[in-house]
Amino acid sequence: MVFVVEYRSFGMLATLPRSLGEELRPYTGHAAAAMIKQVQRSVSAYAQPLRGVFGRALVVSCERAVRHYVDCIGTPDLPHDRWIDFYRRRGRIEFTEGRNLEPLHDSATIGARTAWRAMLPIVRGLGVSPGVVALAAESVFVYVDELCATAIEGYQQAEAKAAGAIPLRRRRLLDLIAQAPEGSACSIASLADGAGWRVPGAAAMVALHRAPGAPEFPAHLLDDTVLLDLDADEPYLLTADPDTDLAPLKGALDGWRVAVSPVVPLADAPAALRTARRALLLTSEDAPGPVIWCRDHLATLWLLAEDFLGAEMAKQSLDPFTSLSAKQQERLSETLLAWLETRGGAPEIAQRLGVHPQTVRNRLRQLEELFGDRLRDADDRLGMQLALRAQRLMRAHRRDGERGN
């Protein structure tokens, strides 16, 4: 089945007042120029002189996109065939010049935001209703997504002539999902159709790490529904059913470590991949088994998601410790955390820490002197507990790293 772009944006734009398009038409050149400038500044693949095929394609693409968008406003009978043919050719150019889909999507979304910012003061100056402004803003991003999907059709046409078209499409698809450009659902569906892959409602991202000297990853054991990129600097895969799809790898991951994110909507795939890669870093090499399930370590991953946040929380919640020596801080920290976690008396805490109850009583008195009423405030206690647990996890992580070295 061939994926068909629905072009909803054309219908949305046709419902807007035709007078709005007429008022905006003189400003299309200004908006296109702003687009080109911002795209070259923001997309490294396009930061080159506007010469040859590349230069003509970028300039004409921006100009035609803005002009056609404005022409569609209030014009339900406007023909679109030439516009569709042009952006299919644009996709073929991207493939023949050796670029992947990321620059195309980045340039389209960045360009759309830039053009809308250039046009918005003019739209507001015309005194149109907030509802019209909202519909126009929404149509911009629907229009851009459909433009990208049209370019992908052309990209696929060129790609199909090359050897190994389907595997390459699947890798491009995985890359697009992992990058998740704004408003990419239509483009993902288009590329997935050409790759023979059914788009799931949700999936897990799986980060892979290969030890030196390890054999090739046993990709042949995976189902065809799994998308995989082993050539990336940080190899990874996507699976809609990790429990089932990864089961055949049991006993076959010699020298490989695998971290599996929770199953999330595709829009959250980039965050899920970051989480899985974080889990690989935070889990020691001698962890039980080669497969790390992030769902079993959510609290740890959340507490250590950003090192600077843990440090900032410690600075705010544990500031009375700054006047103490490192050894005093360590002893009082473990006592404070034990008290916060148990709210028990000296004997219970002493048994947990392996010290004498009188030692605990002395430390609790010190803590009362240092923190005072903050020990009786629920919010302060929560901040202290989170900061102390984050510190404990970071110390364990550093020790694991030192053993690994």
Side-chain angles (χ1 to χ4, degrees):
M1 182 183 73
V2 177
F3 179 81
V4 178
V5 183
E6 294 182 4
Y7 299 112
R8 290 191 307 114
S9 63
F10 299 160
M12 296 169 67
L13 290 167
T15 64
L16 294 173
R18 179 173 293 194
S19 59
L20 176 61
E22 294 171 351
E23 294 286 352
L24 291 176
R25 192 163 290 111
Y27 302 96
T28 56
H30 166 70
M35 286 176 65
I36 296 166
K37 184 176 180 180
Q38 188 60 42
V39 165
Q40 290 211 288
R41 180 184 300 153
S42 305
V43 183
S44 57
Y46 293 162
Q48 53 182 292
L50 295 173
R51 294 196 295 261
V53 173
F54 162 78
R56 289 194 301 274
L58 180 59
V59 170
V60 176
S61 293
C62 292
E63 292 176 345
R64 183 166 293 199
V66 178
R67 188 167 58 249
H68 180 261
Y69 174 88
V70 170
D71 287 345
C72 286
I73 296 175
T75 314
D77 55 350
L78 183 74
H80 306 291
D81 292 349
R82 294 182 63 185
W83 181 92
I84 292 171
D85 289 343
F86 174 82
Y87 285 101
R88 282 177 180 159
R89 289 198 304 274
R90 183 72 175 87
R92 289 196 290 271
I93 289 172
E94 288 297 290
F95 181 81
T96 56
E97 293 204 343
R99 287 185 288 272
N100 61 27
L101 293 167
E102 185 179 349
L104 179 65
H105 277 275
D106 287 348
S107 65
T109 53
I110 291 169
R113 285 194 294 268
T114 302
W116 177 244
R117 282 197 296 266
M119 292 285 200
L120 186 56
I122 302 162
V123 173
R124 286 175 173 164
L126 296 174
V128 298
S129 69
V132 169
V133 175
L135 180 59
E138 180 186 359
S139 69
V140 167
F141 295 102
V142 177
Y143 179 89
V144 166
D145 192 29
E146 292 166 356
L147 182 154
C148 290
T150 303
I152 285 175
E153 290 180 342
Y155 194 100
Q156 291 176 342
Q157 290 170 0
E159 193 178 49
K161 298 178 181 178
I166 294 299
L168 184 57
R169 286 179 185 176
R170 291 169 66 87
R171 188 174 301 177
R172 304 290 194 204
L173 174 62
L174 178 59
D175 180 62
L176 177 58
I177 293 171
Q179 297 294 331
E182 186 175 350
S184 62
C186 185
S187 300
I188 288 172
S190 177
L191 191 55
D193 184 77
W197 187 73
R198 182 176 180 180
V199 180
M205 303 299 288
V206 182
L208 310 175
H209 179 265
R210 182 182 190 177
E216 294 294 323
F217 186 81
H220 63 282
L221 298 177
L222 296 174
D223 189 80
D224 191 50
T225 59
V226 175
L227 299 180
L228 180 70
D229 188 353
L230 294 176
D231 295 325
D233 293 337
E234 297 178 278
Y236 67 107
L237 61 85
L238 177 153
T239 165
D241 187 356
D243 292 281
T244 300
D245 290 338
L246 301 181
L249 299 178
K250 186 176 182 180
L253 291 170
D254 183 23
W256 286 85
R257 296 173 62 238
V258 174
V260 188
S261 82
V263 175
V264 299
L266 287 192
D268 294 328
L273 183 55
R274 289 194 299 271
T275 298
R277 286 173 172 163
R278 182 77 172 174
L280 283 180
L281 292 174
L282 294 176
T283 309
S284 63
E285 296 284 346
D286 55 356
V291 180
I292 304 150
W293 296 90
C294 293
R295 65 194 180 200
D296 298 332
H297 306 278
L298 292 179
T300 298
L301 292 168
W302 176 60
L303 281 173
L304 301 181
E306 294 290 352
D307 293 346
F308 82 91
L309 290 178
E312 187 64 25
M313 179 173 285
K315 186 190 301 181
Q316 292 186 11
S317 298
L318 306 176
D319 55 297
F321 283 162
T322 57
S323 61
L324 307 178
S325 68
K327 196 166 187 178
Q328 288 175 312
Q329 288 187 37
E330 183 177 353
R331 289 174 176 174
L332 289 179
S333 291
E334 68 176 8
T335 304
L336 177 57
L337 181 58
W339 178 77
L340 289 167
E341 290 181 341
T342 66
R343 301 300 298 277
E348 182 182 352
I349 296 173
Q351 184 177 12
R352 178 171 178 161
L353 299 180
V355 298
H356 194 278
Q358 188 56 43
T359 301
V360 172
R361 293 188 187 97
N362 292 336
R363 292 181 185 176
L364 289 175
R365 278 195 293 273
Q366 286 181 273
L367 291 169
E368 177 67 31
E369 293 172 1
L370 289 167
F371 289 91
D373 290 340
R374 291 168 64 178
L375 294 176
R376 288 173 284 281
D377 184 277
D379 290 338
D380 283 334
R381 289 198 305 270
L382 177 60
M384 295 174 200
Q385 186 171 354
L386 291 174
L388 289 166
R389 292 193 67 182
Q391 286 184 340
R392 184 171 65 183
L393 289 167
M394 283 306 302
R395 284 196 296 269
H397 175 50
R398 283 195 292 269
R399 286 195 298 269
D400 290 339
E402 291 167 1
R403 284 200 298 268
N405 294 331

